[in-house]
Amino acid sequence: MKSKELSVDLRDKIVSRHKSGEGYRKITAALKVPMSTVASIIRKWKKFGTTRTLPRAGRPSKLSDRGRRALVREVTKNPMITLSELQRSSVERGEPCRRTTISAAIHQSGLYGRVARRKPLLSKRHKAARLEFAKRHLKDSQTMRNKILWSDETKIELFGVNARRHVWRKPGTAHHEANTIPTVKHGGGSIMLWGCFSAAGTGRLVRIEGKMNAAMYRDILDKNLLQSALDLRLGRRFIFQQDNDPKHTAKISKQWLQDHSVNVLEWPSQSPDLNPIEHLWRDLKMAVHRRLPSNLMELQRYCKEEWAKLPKDRCAKLVA
């Protein structure tokens, strides 16, 4: 617990005795004040010429330096600890304080609350495979990267759960129909898409009707893969990237790729975050939801229109 400040009268007595030639020990014994306090008051008087309390930058913190260090240790040890848990631990240390005080103290140490990124659950085998993949391609030339045709599937909901729009409205009109975005359970329906891109731009974008199986995937490749490579001028020796989904690695899919002499990039399992097309999917979804499609036909049309609009320099930057 922090001790109370000495009265101005007592501080003046300390300085007066010091002026008369008394030593720190004698002042301490006579006034019953710790020697460190006596020394501090005299230093302050010598430096500022007063014993009065000087203006502070703000309200004194309820947290001691020791309490701050303890908070930082807890957050460093467990980044997902909550403010409520930190508040309880502060109470247990004898320093009860508000959540805002705790938050400010942690911010001073350069730590800030942020939404945790979602990452694939990786086993030791997955991690080893990803590391090996990174080492193998670390020194790939830009020319080689430019020859890769990246692909993936994604689902786009009609009313995206993360779609945000700002409206101008008066107080109390938040729920007026004109000021709301319609939402329904499960997003109001969705469509599945297959797409591809390279450093030169976006390739074909195809809607997947129903649940895709290996035969449907082979048909998508047959109608779109080589044509996309041709449109993007990748040449005959382009490299095709796909993940290890069972439909992609099925016998008929492998056979089609082999029959058409397509070089396939070996891909580590559980690694969607390594595929740069994930960034394009996000760009696409944001652009489509800004147009507020009202039905699945509009959603499909907007997806194709916005996919074609994605800048070529954005594609090039993702694989640079």
Side-chain angles (χ1 to χ4, degrees):
M1 296 292 289
K2 295 181 70 175
S3 59
K4 292 183 178 180
E5 289 186 341
L6 298 183
S7 66
V8 174
D9 182 61
L10 185 53
R11 282 179 265 171
D12 286 341
K13 286 181 180 179
I14 291 173
V15 173
S16 178
R17 285 175 174 267
H18 173 70
K19 286 180 178 179
S20 66
E22 289 187 13
Y24 289 6
R25 289 182 183 277
K26 195 171 182 180
I27 296 173
T28 295
L31 300 179
K32 308 298 185 198
V33 177
M35 191 182 300
S36 59
T37 304
V38 170
S40 177
I41 289 172
I42 292 172
R43 279 198 307 271
K44 180 180 177 180
W45 171 74
K46 288 180 177 179
K47 184 174 182 179
F48 301 105
T50 181
T51 60
R52 270 56 177 173
T53 301
L54 297 173
R56 295 188 176 97
R59 180 180 175 182
S61 176
K62 288 191 173 183
L63 275 174
S64 64
D65 289 340
R66 182 180 180 185
R68 291 172 188 274
R69 291 195 298 270
L71 286 173
V72 172
R73 280 198 303 272
E74 288 188 74
V75 171
T76 304
K77 185 177 180 180
N78 179 15
M80 293 193 178
I81 192 170
T82 65
L83 278 175
S84 296
E85 292 170 330
L86 291 171
Q87 193 175 28
R88 285 195 293 272
S89 66
S90 292
V91 171
E92 292 171 0
R93 286 193 299 271
E95 292 186 324
C97 52
R98 295 184 178 184
R99 291 155 60 100
T100 51
T101 302
I102 293 173
S103 182
I106 295 172
H107 289 172
Q108 288 176 356
S109 297
L111 298 166
Y112 299 89
R114 296 289 185 266
V115 176
R117 300 292 178 88
R118 294 185 177 274
K119 288 286 189 178
L121 181 62
L122 301 174
S123 66
K124 289 184 178 180
R125 180 173 58 83
H126 292 144
K127 293 177 182 179
R130 284 161 63 98
L131 180 60
E132 177 59 30
F133 175 83
K135 288 179 178 178
R136 188 164 60 249
H137 296 284
L138 185 61
K139 296 182 179 180
D140 285 353
S141 67
Q142 190 60 51
T143 301
M144 178 189 169
R145 293 179 186 177
N146 291 345
K147 287 184 172 293
I148 300 176
L149 185 63
W150 307 87
S151 73
D152 196 18
E153 296 89 21
T154 192
K155 180 175 78 170
I156 299 187
E157 294 181 343
L158 180 58
F159 300 119
V161 293
N162 293 322
R164 299 180 66 180
R165 295 277 291 186
H166 289 87
V167 296
W168 294 102
R169 64 174 179 80
K170 293 181 179 179
T173 64
H175 296 285
H176 288 193
E177 186 174 351
N179 298 331
T180 62
I181 296 176
T183 61
V184 294
K185 287 185 177 179
H186 312 299
S190 61
I191 60 175
M192 285 292 296
L193 300 171
W194 176 91
C196 60
F197 90 103
S198 76
T202 54
R204 294 283 186 92
L205 185 72
V206 183
R207 179 177 178 179
I208 301 168
E209 300 288 352
K211 187 175 181 180
M212 187 167 70
N213 54 31
M216 289 176 64
Y217 182 66
R218 179 200 56 194
D219 291 342
I220 287 174
L221 297 180
D222 192 48
K223 296 174 183 177
N224 301 280
L225 181 59
L226 298 180
Q227 187 59 51
S228 292
L230 183 64
D231 294 341
L232 295 170
R233 299 181 179 180
L234 297 182
R236 296 173 59 86
R237 298 175 64 82
F238 77 92
I239 302 169
F240 178 54
Q241 181 277 333
Q242 61 177 0
D243 61 29
N244 295 315
D245 185 287
K247 296 179 287 293
H248 302 169
T249 57
K251 186 176 180 180
I252 57 174
S253 300
K254 286 184 174 180
Q255 188 62 52
W256 185 94
L257 292 166
Q258 184 176 339
D259 290 346
H260 291 81
S261 304
V262 176
N263 296 314
V264 179
L265 181 66
E266 187 178 347
W267 195 252
S269 299
Q270 285 289 89
S271 301
D273 54 316
L274 298 184
N275 192 343
I277 201 172
E278 295 296 333
H279 298 283
L280 282 191
W281 288 142
R282 177 172 175 78
D283 293 350
L284 175 66
K285 291 174 183 179
M286 291 178 67
V288 168
H289 288 139
R290 278 195 292 268
R291 298 179 63 176
L292 299 177
S294 58
N295 55 60
L296 294 181
M297 290 299 293
E298 277 192 354
L299 179 62
Q300 180 179 347
R301 177 161 60 87
Y302 292 169
C303 283
K304 291 201 172 185
E305 291 174 359
E306 296 300 328
W307 182 254
K309 292 180 187 176
L310 291 175
K312 291 183 179 180
D313 59 348
R314 169 67 166 159
C315 297
K317 188 175 180 180
L318 287 175
V319 298

